[in-house]
């Protein structure tokens, strides 16, 4: 099971660092690197869903701007919203 979790973490780290825009690569890469080892399996699954959201909505959410989607009130979203880059 530990090997599976480590594989999931590697995929998450890769996905967070290769988004398409340099700004989001840096922001999400730093965010993921800071918190990945503190997350349980449920949180990791939430992070996977979070990383499927497009860069524009994530950027707007982070900066308190209007988004095209509704962000749930969960641990990952709260950590990201309060993350200081």
């Amino acid at each position: 099971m530990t090997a599976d979790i480590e594989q999931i973490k590697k995929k998450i780290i890769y996905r967070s660092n290769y988004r398409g825009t340099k700004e989001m690569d840096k922001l999400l890469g730093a965010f993921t690197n800071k918190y990945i080892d503190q997350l349980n399996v449920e949180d990791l699954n939430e992070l996977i869903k979070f990383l499927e959201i497009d860069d524009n909505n994530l950027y707007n959410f982070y900066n308190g701007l209007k988004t095209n989607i509704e962000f749930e009130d969960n641990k990952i979203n709260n950590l990201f919203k309060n993350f200081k880059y």
Side-chain angles (χ1 to χ4, degrees):
M1 175 114 172
T2 304
D4 292 338
I5 291 174
E6 291 306 313
Q7 281 300 107
I8 290 169
K9 287 181 180 181
K10 286 179 184 179
K11 288 179 182 180
I12 289 171
I13 291 168
Y14 181 85
R15 178 68 179 120
S16 66
N17 283 294
Y18 297 96
R19 299 286 304 178
T21 62
K22 278 197 185 276
E23 295 84 3
M24 290 307 291
D25 291 351
K26 290 182 178 190
L27 177 61
L28 286 171
F31 170 74
T32 301
N33 287 331
K34 180 173 182 175
Y35 293 111
I36 192 115
D37 289 327
Q38 301 171 24
L39 302 176
N40 62 33
V41 175
E42 182 180 316
D43 297 334
L44 291 173
N45 286 325
E46 287 294 326
L47 183 53
I48 290 169
K49 286 188 225 174
F50 179 79
L51 292 173
E52 292 174 358
I53 299 170
D54 65 280
D55 286 354
N56 192 47
N57 277 311
L58 289 176
Y59 179 83
N60 288 346
F61 177 68
Y62 181 74
N63 289 297
L65 303 172
K66 185 176 179 183
T67 61
N68 296 333
I69 61 171
E70 185 72 29
F71 282 82
E72 296 177 22
D73 184 21
N74 63 35
K75 182 177 180 177
I76 299 301
N77 291 345
N78 290 329
L79 285 173
F80 184 68
K81 184 70 176 163
N82 295 306
F83 176 67
K84 302 295 183 221
Y85 177 67

Coordinates of all heavy atoms in Angstrom, one line a residue:
M1 N 0.8 -1.2 0.0 CA 0.0 0.0 0.0 C 0.9 1.3 0.0 O 0.6 2.2 -0.7 CB -0.9 0.0 1.2 CG -1.7 1.2 1.4 SD -3.5 0.9 1.1 CE -4.1 2.4 1.6
T2 N 2.0 1.3 0.7 CA 2.8 2.4 0.8 C 3.4 2.7 -0.6 O 3.5 3.9 -1.0 CB 4.0 2.2 1.8 OG1 3.4 1.9 3.1 CG2 4.8 3.4 1.9
A3 N 3.7 1.7 -1.3 CA 4.3 1.9 -2.7 C 3.2 2.5 -3.6 O 3.6 3.4 -4.4 CB 4.8 0.6 -3.3
D4 N 2.0 2.1 -3.4 CA 0.9 2.7 -4.2 C 0.7 4.2 -3.9 O 0.5 5.0 -4.8 CB -0.4 2.0 -3.9 CG -0.5 0.6 -4.5 OD1 0.3 0.3 -5.4 OD2 -1.3 -0.2 -4.0
I5 N 0.8 4.5 -2.6 CA 0.6 5.9 -2.2 C 1.8 6.8 -2.7 O 1.6 7.9 -3.2 CB 0.6 6.0 -0.7 CG1 -0.8 5.5 -0.2 CG2 0.7 7.5 -0.2 CD1 -0.9 5.4 1.3
E6 N 3.0 6.2 -2.7 CA 4.2 6.9 -3.3 C 4.0 7.2 -4.8 O 4.4 8.2 -5.3 CB 5.5 6.2 -2.9 CG 5.8 6.2 -1.5 CD 5.9 7.6 -0.9 OE1 6.5 8.5 -1.5 OE2 5.3 7.8 0.2
Q7 N 3.5 6.2 -5.5 CA 3.2 6.4 -6.9 C 2.2 7.5 -7.2 O 2.3 8.3 -8.1 CB 2.7 5.0 -7.5 CG 3.8 4.1 -7.8 CD 4.9 4.6 -8.8 OE1 6.0 5.0 -8.4 NE2 4.5 4.8 -10.1
I8 N 1.1 7.5 -6.3 CA 0.1 8.5 -6.5 C 0.7 9.9 -6.2 O 0.5 10.8 -6.9 CB -1.0 8.2 -5.5 CG1 -1.8 7.0 -5.9 CG2 -2.0 9.4 -5.4 CD1 -2.8 6.5 -4.9
K9 N 1.6 10.0 -5.2 CA 2.2 11.2 -4.9 C 3.1 11.7 -6.0 O 3.1 12.9 -6.3 CB 3.1 11.1 -3.6 CG 2.2 11.1 -2.3 CD 3.1 11.0 -1.1 CE 2.3 10.9 0.2 NZ 3.2 10.8 1.4
K10 N 3.8 10.8 -6.6 CA 4.7 11.2 -7.8 C 3.9 11.7 -8.9 O 4.2 12.7 -9.6 CB 5.5 10.0 -8.2 CG 6.7 9.6 -7.3 CD 7.4 8.4 -7.8 CE 8.5 8.0 -6.8 NZ 9.3 6.9 -7.2
K11 N 2.7 11.1 -9.2 CA 1.9 11.5 -10.3 C 1.3 12.9 -9.9 O 1.2 13.8 -10.8 CB 0.7 10.5 -10.5 CG 1.2 9.3 -11.2 CD 0.0 8.3 -11.4 CE 0.5 7.0 -12.0 NZ -0.5 6.0 -12.2
I12 N 0.9 13.1 -8.7 CA 0.4 14.4 -8.3 C 1.4 15.5 -8.4 O 1.2 16.6 -8.9 CB -0.2 14.3 -6.8 CG1 -1.4 13.5 -6.8 CG2 -0.4 15.7 -6.3 CD1 -1.9 13.2 -5.4
I13 N 2.6 15.2 -8.0 CA 3.7 16.2 -8.1 C 4.0 16.5 -9.5 O 4.2 17.7 -9.9 CB 5.0 15.7 -7.3 CG1 4.8 15.6 -5.8 CG2 6.2 16.5 -7.7 CD1 5.8 14.9 -5.0
Y14 N 4.0 15.5 -10.4 CA 4.3 15.8 -11.8 C 3.2 16.7 -12.4 O 3.4 17.6 -13.0 CB 4.4 14.4 -12.6 CG 4.6 14.7 -14.0 CD1 5.9 14.8 -14.5 CD2 3.6 14.7 -14.9 CE1 6.2 15.1 -15.8 CE2 3.8 15.0 -16.3 CZ 5.1 15.1 -16.7 OH 5.3 15.4 -18.1
R15 N 1.9 16.3 -12.1 CA 0.8 17.0 -12.6 C 0.8 18.5 -12.1 O 0.4 19.4 -12.9 CB -0.5 16.3 -12.2 CG -1.8 17.0 -12.7 CD -1.9 17.0 -14.2 NE -3.1 17.7 -14.6 CZ -3.2 18.8 -15.4 NH1 -2.1 19.3 -15.9 NH2 -4.3 19.3 -15.7
S16 N 1.2 18.7 -10.9 CA 1.2 20.1 -10.3 C 2.3 20.9 -10.9 O 2.2 22.1 -10.9 CB 1.2 20.0 -8.8 OG 2.5 19.5 -8.4
N17 N 3.4 20.3 -11.4 CA 4.5 21.0 -11.9 C 4.4 21.3 -13.4 O 5.2 22.0 -13.9 CB 5.8 20.4 -11.5 CG 6.2 20.6 -10.1 OD1 6.5 21.7 -9.7 ND2 6.1 19.6 -9.3
Y18 N 3.6 20.6 -14.1 CA 3.5 20.7 -15.5 C 2.0 20.9 -16.0 O 1.3 20.1 -16.4 CB 4.0 19.4 -16.2 CG 5.5 19.2 -15.9 CD1 5.9 18.4 -14.9 CD2 6.4 19.9 -16.6 CE1 7.2 18.2 -14.6 CE2 7.8 19.7 -16.4 CZ 8.2 18.9 -15.3 OH 9.5 18.7 -15.0
R19 N 1.6 22.2 -15.7 CA 0.2 22.6 -16.0 C 0.0 23.2 -17.3 O -1.1 23.1 -17.9 CB -0.2 23.7 -14.9 CG -0.1 23.2 -13.5 CD -1.2 22.3 -13.1 NE -2.5 22.9 -13.4 CZ -3.6 22.4 -13.2 NH1 -3.7 21.1 -12.8 NH2 -4.7 23.0 -13.5
G20 N 1.0 23.9 -17.9 CA 0.8 24.6 -19.1 C 1.2 26.0 -19.0 O 1.6 26.6 -20.0
T21 N 1.0 26.6 -17.9 CA 1.5 28.0 -17.7 C 2.5 28.0 -16.6 O 2.4 27.3 -15.6 CB 0.3 29.0 -17.3 OG1 -0.2 28.5 -16.1 CG2 -0.8 29.0 -18.4
K22 N 3.5 28.8 -16.8 CA 4.6 28.9 -15.8 C 4.2 29.3 -14.5 O 4.6 28.8 -13.4 CB 5.7 29.8 -16.3 CG 6.7 29.1 -17.3 CD 7.9 30.0 -17.4 CE 8.9 29.5 -18.4 NZ 9.7 28.4 -18.0
E23 N 3.2 30.3 -14.5 CA 2.7 30.8 -13.2 C 2.1 29.7 -12.3 O 2.3 29.6 -11.2 CB 1.7 31.9 -13.4 CG 2.3 33.2 -14.0 CD 2.4 33.1 -15.6 OE1 2.0 32.1 -16.2 OE2 3.0 34.0 -16.2
M24 N 1.2 28.9 -13.0 CA 0.5 27.8 -12.3 C 1.5 26.7 -12.0 O 1.3 26.0 -10.9 CB -0.7 27.4 -13.0 CG -1.8 28.4 -13.1 SD -2.3 29.1 -11.5 CE -3.1 27.7 -10.7
D25 N 2.4 26.4 -12.8 CA 3.4 25.4 -12.6 C 4.1 25.7 -11.2 O 4.3 24.9 -10.4 CB 4.5 25.3 -13.6 CG 4.0 24.8 -15.0 OD1 2.9 24.3 -15.0 OD2 4.8 24.9 -16.0
K26 N 4.6 27.0 -11.1 CA 5.3 27.4 -9.9 C 4.4 27.4 -8.6 O 4.7 26.9 -7.6 CB 5.9 28.7 -10.1 CG 7.1 28.7 -11.1 CD 7.7 30.0 -11.2 CE 8.9 29.9 -12.2 NZ 9.7 31.1 -12.2
L27 N 3.2 28.0 -8.8 CA 2.3 28.1 -7.7 C 1.8 26.7 -7.2 O 1.9 26.4 -6.0 CB 1.0 28.9 -8.1 CG 0.0 29.1 -7.0 CD1 0.5 29.7 -5.7 CD2 -1.2 29.8 -7.6
L28 N 1.3 25.9 -8.1 CA 0.8 24.6 -7.7 C 2.0 23.6 -7.3 O 1.8 22.8 -6.4 CB 0.0 23.9 -8.8 CG -1.4 24.6 -9.0 CD1 -2.1 24.1 -10.2 CD2 -2.3 24.3 -7.8
G29 N 3.1 23.8 -8.0 CA 4.3 23.0 -7.6 C 4.7 23.2 -6.1 O 4.9 22.3 -5.3
A30 N 4.8 24.5 -5.8 CA 5.2 24.9 -4.4 C 4.1 24.4 -3.4 O 4.4 23.9 -2.3 CB 5.4 26.4 -4.3
F31 N 2.8 24.6 -3.8 CA 1.7 24.2 -2.9 C 1.8 22.7 -2.6 O 1.8 22.2 -1.5 CB 0.4 24.6 -3.5 CG -0.8 24.0 -2.9 CD1 -1.2 24.4 -1.7 CD2 -1.5 22.9 -3.5 CE1 -2.3 23.9 -1.0 CE2 -2.6 22.4 -2.8 CZ -3.0 22.8 -1.6
T32 N 1.9 21.9 -3.7 CA 2.0 20.5 -3.6 C 3.2 20.0 -2.8 O 3.0 19.2 -1.9 CB 2.0 19.8 -5.0 OG1 0.8 20.2 -5.7 CG2 2.0 18.3 -4.9
N33 N 4.3 20.6 -3.1 CA 5.5 20.2 -2.4 C 5.5 20.5 -0.9 O 6.0 19.7 -0.1 CB 6.8 20.8 -3.0 CG 7.2 20.2 -4.3 OD1 6.9 19.1 -4.6 ND2 7.7 21.0 -5.2
K34 N 4.8 21.5 -0.5 CA 4.7 21.9 0.9 C 3.8 20.9 1.7 O 4.1 20.6 2.8 CB 4.1 23.3 1.0 CG 3.9 23.8 2.5 CD 3.6 25.2 2.6 CE 3.5 25.5 4.1 NZ 3.2 27.0 4.3
Y35 N 2.7 20.5 1.0 CA 1.6 19.7 1.8 C 1.6 18.2 1.5 O 0.9 17.5 2.2 CB 0.3 20.4 1.5 CG 0.1 21.7 2.1 CD1 0.0 22.9 1.3 CD2 0.1 21.9 3.5 CE1 -0.1 24.1 1.9 CE2 0.0 23.2 4.1 CZ -0.1 24.3 3.2 OH -0.3 25.5 3.8
I36 N 2.2 17.8 0.4 CA 1.9 16.4 0.0 C 2.2 15.3 1.0 O 1.5 14.4 1.2 CB 2.7 16.1 -1.3 CG1 2.2 14.8 -1.9 CG2 4.2 16.0 -1.1 CD1 1.6 14.9 -3.2
D37 N 3.2 15.5 1.9 CA 3.6 14.5 2.9 C 2.7 14.6 4.1 O 2.7 13.7 5.0 CB 5.0 14.6 3.3 CG 5.9 14.2 2.1 OD1 5.6 13.2 1.4 OD2 7.0 14.7 2.0
Q38 N 1.8 15.6 4.2 CA 0.9 15.8 5.3 C -0.5 15.3 5.0 O -1.3 15.3 5.9 CB 0.8 17.3 5.7 CG 2.1 17.9 6.1 CD 2.0 19.4 6.2 OE1 0.9 19.9 6.5 NE2 3.1 20.1 6.1
L39 N -0.7 14.8 3.8 CA -2.0 14.4 3.3 C -2.3 12.9 3.4 O -1.4 12.1 3.2 CB -2.3 14.9 1.9 CG -2.1 16.4 1.6 CD1 -2.2 16.6 0.1 CD2 -3.1 17.2 2.4
N40 N -3.5 12.6 3.8 CA -3.9 11.1 3.9 C -4.4 10.7 2.5 O -4.5 11.6 1.6 CB -4.8 10.9 5.0 CG -6.1 11.6 4.9 OD1 -6.6 11.9 3.8 ND2 -6.7 12.0 6.0
V41 N -4.8 9.5 2.4 CA -5.3 9.0 1.1 C -6.5 9.8 0.6 O -6.6 10.1 -0.6 CB -5.6 7.5 1.2 CG1 -6.2 7.0 -0.1 CG2 -4.4 6.7 1.5
E42 N -7.5 10.1 1.5 CA -8.6 10.8 1.1 C -8.3 12.2 0.6 O -8.8 12.7 -0.4 CB -9.6 10.9 2.3 CG -10.9 11.7 2.0 CD -11.8 11.8 3.2 OE1 -11.9 10.8 3.9 OE2 -12.3 12.9 3.4
D43 N -7.3 12.8 1.3 CA -6.9 14.2 0.9 C -6.2 14.1 -0.5 O -6.3 15.0 -1.3 CB -5.9 14.8 1.9 CG -6.6 15.0 3.2 OD1 -7.8 15.2 3.3 OD2 -5.8 15.0 4.3
L44 N -5.4 13.1 -0.7 CA -4.7 12.9 -2.0 C -5.7 12.8 -3.1 O -5.5 13.3 -4.2 CB -3.8 11.7 -2.0 CG -2.5 11.8 -1.1 CD1 -1.8 10.5 -1.0 CD2 -1.6 12.9 -1.5
N45 N -6.8 12.0 -2.9 CA -7.8 11.9 -3.9 C -8.5 13.3 -4.2 O -8.8 13.6 -5.3 CB -8.9 10.9 -3.5 CG -8.3 9.5 -3.6 OD1 -7.6 9.2 -4.5 ND2 -8.7 8.6 -2.7
E46 N -8.7 14.1 -3.1 CA -9.2 15.4 -3.3 C -8.2 16.3 -4.1 O -8.6 17.1 -5.0 CB -9.5 16.1 -2.0 CG -10.7 15.5 -1.3 CD -12.0 15.8 -2.0 OE1 -12.2 16.9 -2.7 OE2 -12.9 14.9 -2.0
L47 N -7.0 16.1 -3.9 CA -5.9 16.9 -4.6 C -5.9 16.5 -6.1 O -5.8 17.3 -6.9 CB -4.6 16.7 -3.9 CG -3.4 17.4 -4.5 CD1 -3.7 18.9 -4.6 CD2 -2.1 17.2 -3.7
I48 N -6.1 15.2 -6.4 CA -6.2 14.8 -7.8 C -7.4 15.5 -8.5 O -7.2 16.0 -9.6 CB -6.3 13.2 -7.8 CG1 -5.0 12.6 -7.4 CG2 -6.7 12.8 -9.3 CD1 -5.1 11.1 -7.2
K49 N -8.5 15.5 -7.8 CA -9.7 16.2 -8.4 C -9.4 17.7 -8.6 O -9.8 18.3 -9.6 CB -10.9 16.0 -7.5 CG -11.5 14.7 -7.6 CD -12.8 14.7 -6.8 CE -12.9 13.5 -5.9 NZ -14.1 13.5 -5.0
F50 N -8.8 18.3 -7.6 CA -8.4 19.7 -7.6 C -7.5 20.0 -8.8 O -7.7 21.0 -9.5 CB -7.7 20.0 -6.3 CG -7.3 21.4 -6.2 CD1 -8.2 22.4 -5.8 CD2 -6.0 21.8 -6.4 CE1 -7.8 23.8 -5.7 CE2 -5.5 23.1 -6.2 CZ -6.5 24.1 -5.9
L51 N -6.6 19.1 -9.1 CA -5.6 19.4 -10.2 C -6.3 19.2 -11.5 O -5.7 19.6 -12.6 CB -4.4 18.5 -10.0 CG -3.5 18.8 -8.8 CD1 -2.4 17.8 -8.7 CD2 -2.9 20.2 -9.0
E52 N -7.5 18.7 -11.6 CA -8.2 18.5 -12.9 C -8.9 19.8 -13.3 O -9.3 20.0 -14.4 CB -9.2 17.4 -12.8 CG -8.6 16.0 -12.7 CD -9.5 14.9 -12.4 OE1 -10.8 15.2 -12.3 OE2 -9.1 13.8 -12.4
I53 N -9.0 20.8 -12.3 CA -9.6 22.1 -12.6 C -8.6 22.9 -13.5 O -7.4 22.9 -13.3 CB -9.9 22.8 -11.3 CG1 -10.9 22.0 -10.5 CG2 -10.4 24.2 -11.6 CD1 -11.1 22.5 -9.0
D54 N -9.2 23.6 -14.4 CA -8.3 24.4 -15.3 C -7.6 25.5 -14.6 O -8.0 26.0 -13.5 CB -9.2 25.0 -16.5 CG -10.2 26.0 -16.0 OD1 -11.3 25.6 -15.5 OD2 -9.9 27.2 -16.1
D55 N -6.5 26.0 -15.2 CA -5.6 27.0 -14.6 C -6.3 28.3 -14.3 O -6.1 28.9 -13.3 CB -4.4 27.2 -15.5 CG -3.4 26.1 -15.5 OD1 -3.6 25.2 -14.7 OD2 -2.4 26.2 -16.2
N56 N -7.1 28.7 -15.2 CA -7.8 30.0 -15.1 C -8.7 30.0 -13.8 O -8.6 31.0 -13.0 CB -8.6 30.3 -16.3 CG -9.1 31.8 -16.3 OD1 -8.3 32.7 -16.1 ND2 -10.4 31.9 -16.6
N57 N -9.5 29.0 -13.6 CA -10.3 28.9 -12.4 C -9.5 28.8 -11.2 O -9.8 29.4 -10.1 CB -11.4 27.8 -12.5 CG -12.6 28.2 -13.3 OD1 -13.2 29.3 -13.1 ND2 -12.9 27.4 -14.3
L58 N -8.4 28.0 -11.2 CA -7.6 27.9 -10.0 C -6.9 29.2 -9.7 O -6.8 29.6 -8.5 CB -6.5 26.8 -10.2 CG -7.0 25.4 -10.3 CD1 -5.8 24.4 -10.6 CD2 -7.6 25.0 -8.9
Y59 N -6.4 29.9 -10.7 CA -5.8 31.2 -10.5 C -6.8 32.2 -9.9 O -6.5 32.9 -8.9 CB -5.2 31.7 -11.8 CG -4.6 33.1 -11.7 CD1 -3.3 33.2 -11.3 CD2 -5.3 34.3 -12.0 CE1 -2.6 34.4 -11.1 CE2 -4.7 35.5 -11.9 CZ -3.3 35.6 -11.4 OH -2.7 36.8 -11.3
N60 N -8.0 32.3 -10.5 CA -9.0 33.2 -10.0 C -9.4 32.8 -8.5 O -9.6 33.7 -7.7 CB -10.2 33.2 -10.9 CG -10.0 33.9 -12.2 OD1 -9.0 34.6 -12.3 ND2 -10.8 33.7 -13.1
F61 N -9.6 31.5 -8.2 CA -9.9 31.1 -6.9 C -8.8 31.5 -5.9 O -9.1 32.1 -4.8 CB -10.1 29.6 -6.9 CG -10.4 29.0 -5.5 CD1 -11.6 29.3 -4.9 CD2 -9.4 28.2 -4.9 CE1 -11.8 28.7 -3.6 CE2 -9.7 27.6 -3.7 CZ -10.9 27.9 -3.0
Y62 N -7.6 31.3 -6.3 CA -6.5 31.6 -5.4 C -6.4 33.1 -5.1 O -6.1 33.6 -4.0 CB -5.1 31.2 -6.0 CG -3.9 31.5 -5.2 CD1 -3.6 30.8 -4.1 CD2 -3.1 32.5 -5.5 CE1 -2.5 31.1 -3.3 CE2 -1.9 32.8 -4.8 CZ -1.7 32.1 -3.6 OH -0.6 32.4 -2.9
N63 N -6.8 33.9 -6.1 CA -6.7 35.4 -5.9 C -8.0 36.0 -5.5 O -8.1 37.3 -5.5 CB -6.2 36.0 -7.3 CG -4.8 35.7 -7.5 OD1 -3.9 36.2 -6.7 ND2 -4.4 35.0 -8.5
G64 N -9.0 35.2 -5.2 CA -10.3 35.7 -4.7 C -11.1 36.3 -5.8 O -12.0 37.2 -5.5
L65 N -10.9 36.0 -7.0 CA -11.7 36.5 -8.1 C -12.8 35.5 -8.5 O -12.9 34.4 -8.0 CB -10.8 36.7 -9.4 CG -9.6 37.6 -9.1 CD1 -8.6 37.5 -10.4 CD2 -10.0 39.0 -8.9
K66 N -13.7 36.0 -9.3 CA -14.9 35.2 -9.7 C -14.4 34.0 -10.6 O -13.5 34.1 -11.4 CB -15.8 36.0 -10.6 CG -17.1 35.3 -10.9 CD -18.1 36.2 -11.7 CE -19.2 35.3 -12.0 NZ -20.3 35.6 -12.6
T67 N -15.0 32.8 -10.3 CA -14.7 31.6 -11.0 C -15.9 31.1 -11.8 O -17.0 31.4 -11.4 CB -14.2 30.5 -10.1 OG1 -15.2 30.2 -9.1 CG2 -12.9 30.9 -9.3
N68 N -15.7 30.2 -12.7 CA -16.8 29.6 -13.5 C -17.3 28.4 -12.9 O -18.3 27.9 -13.3 CB -16.3 29.3 -14.9 CG -15.9 30.5 -15.7 OD1 -16.3 31.6 -15.5 ND2 -15.0 30.3 -16.7
I69 N -16.7 27.9 -11.8 CA -17.2 26.7 -11.1 C -17.3 27.0 -9.6 O -16.7 28.0 -9.1 CB -16.2 25.5 -11.3 CG1 -14.8 25.9 -10.8 CG2 -16.2 25.1 -12.8 CD1 -13.9 24.7 -10.8
E70 N -18.0 26.2 -8.9 CA -18.2 26.3 -7.5 C -17.2 25.4 -6.8 O -17.1 24.2 -7.1 CB -19.6 25.8 -7.1 CG -19.9 26.0 -5.7 CD -20.2 27.4 -5.3 OE1 -20.6 28.2 -6.1 OE2 -19.9 27.8 -4.1
F71 N -16.3 26.0 -6.0 CA -15.3 25.3 -5.2 C -15.9 24.8 -3.9 O -16.5 25.6 -3.2 CB -14.1 26.1 -4.9 CG -13.2 26.3 -6.1 CD1 -13.5 27.2 -7.1 CD2 -12.1 25.5 -6.2 CE1 -12.7 27.4 -8.2 CE2 -11.2 25.6 -7.3 CZ -11.5 26.6 -8.3
E72 N -15.8 23.5 -3.6 CA -16.3 22.9 -2.4 C -15.5 23.4 -1.2 O -14.4 23.9 -1.3 CB -16.1 21.4 -2.4 CG -16.9 20.7 -3.5 CD -16.7 19.2 -3.5 OE1 -16.2 18.6 -2.5 OE2 -16.9 18.6 -4.6
D73 N -16.1 23.3 0.0 CA -15.4 23.7 1.2 C -14.7 22.4 1.7 O -15.4 21.6 2.4 CB -16.4 24.2 2.2 CG -15.7 24.7 3.5 OD1 -14.5 25.0 3.4 OD2 -16.4 24.8 4.5
N74 N -13.5 22.1 1.3 CA -12.8 21.0 1.8 C -11.3 21.3 2.1 O -10.9 22.5 1.9 CB -12.8 19.8 0.7 CG -12.2 20.2 -0.6 OD1 -11.2 20.9 -0.6 ND2 -12.7 19.6 -1.7
K75 N -10.6 20.4 2.7 CA -9.3 20.6 3.2 C -8.3 21.2 2.1 O -7.6 22.1 2.3 CB -8.7 19.3 3.8 CG -7.3 19.5 4.4 CD -6.9 18.2 5.0 CE -5.5 18.4 5.6 NZ -5.1 17.2 6.3
I76 N -8.3 20.6 0.9 CA -7.4 20.9 -0.2 C -7.7 22.4 -0.6 O -6.8 23.2 -0.7 CB -7.5 20.0 -1.3 CG1 -7.1 18.6 -0.9 CG2 -6.6 20.5 -2.5 CD1 -5.7 18.4 -0.3
N77 N -9.0 22.7 -0.9 CA -9.3 24.0 -1.3 C -9.0 25.1 -0.3 O -8.5 26.1 -0.6 CB -10.8 24.1 -1.7 CG -11.2 23.3 -2.9 OD1 -10.3 22.9 -3.7 ND2 -12.4 23.0 -3.1
N78 N -9.2 24.7 1.0 CA -8.9 25.7 2.1 C -7.4 25.9 2.2 O -6.9 27.0 2.4 CB -9.5 25.2 3.4 CG -11.0 25.4 3.4 OD1 -11.5 26.3 2.8 ND2 -11.6 24.5 4.1
L79 N -6.6 24.8 2.1 CA -5.1 24.9 2.1 C -4.6 25.8 1.0 O -3.8 26.7 1.2 CB -4.5 23.5 2.1 CG -4.5 22.7 3.3 CD1 -4.0 21.3 3.0 CD2 -3.7 23.3 4.4
F80 N -5.2 25.6 -0.2 CA -4.7 26.3 -1.4 C -5.1 27.8 -1.3 O -4.3 28.7 -1.5 CB -5.3 25.7 -2.7 CG -4.9 26.4 -3.9 CD1 -3.5 26.3 -4.3 CD2 -5.7 27.1 -4.7 CE1 -3.1 26.9 -5.5 CE2 -5.3 27.7 -5.9 CZ -4.0 27.6 -6.3
K81 N -6.3 28.0 -0.8 CA -6.8 29.4 -0.7 C -5.9 30.2 0.3 O -5.7 31.4 0.1 CB -8.3 29.4 -0.2 CG -8.9 30.8 -0.2 CD -9.1 31.3 -1.6 CE -9.8 32.7 -1.5 NZ -9.7 33.4 -2.7
N82 N -5.5 29.6 1.3 CA -4.7 30.2 2.4 C -3.2 30.1 2.2 O -2.4 30.5 3.0 CB -5.1 29.7 3.7 CG -6.5 30.0 4.1 OD1 -6.9 31.2 4.0 ND2 -7.3 29.1 4.4
F83 N -2.8 29.4 1.1 CA -1.3 29.2 0.8 C -0.7 30.5 0.4 O -1.2 31.3 -0.3 CB -1.2 28.2 -0.3 CG 0.2 27.9 -0.8 CD1 1.1 27.3 0.0 CD2 0.6 28.3 -2.1 CE1 2.4 27.1 -0.4 CE2 1.9 28.1 -2.5 CZ 2.8 27.5 -1.6
K84 N 0.5 30.7 1.1 CA 1.3 31.9 0.7 C 2.5 31.5 -0.1 O 3.3 30.8 0.4 CB 1.8 32.6 2.0 CG 0.7 33.0 3.0 CD -0.2 34.1 2.4 CE -1.3 34.5 3.3 NZ -2.6 34.8 2.8
Y85 N 2.5 32.0 -1.3 CA 3.6 31.6 -2.2 C 4.7 32.6 -2.1 O 4.6 33.7 -2.0 CB 3.1 31.6 -3.7 CG 4.2 31.3 -4.7 CD1 4.8 30.0 -4.7 CD2 4.6 32.2 -5.6 CE1 5.7 29.7 -5.6 CE2 5.5 31.9 -6.5 CZ 6.1 30.7 -6.5 OH 7.1 30.4 -7.4

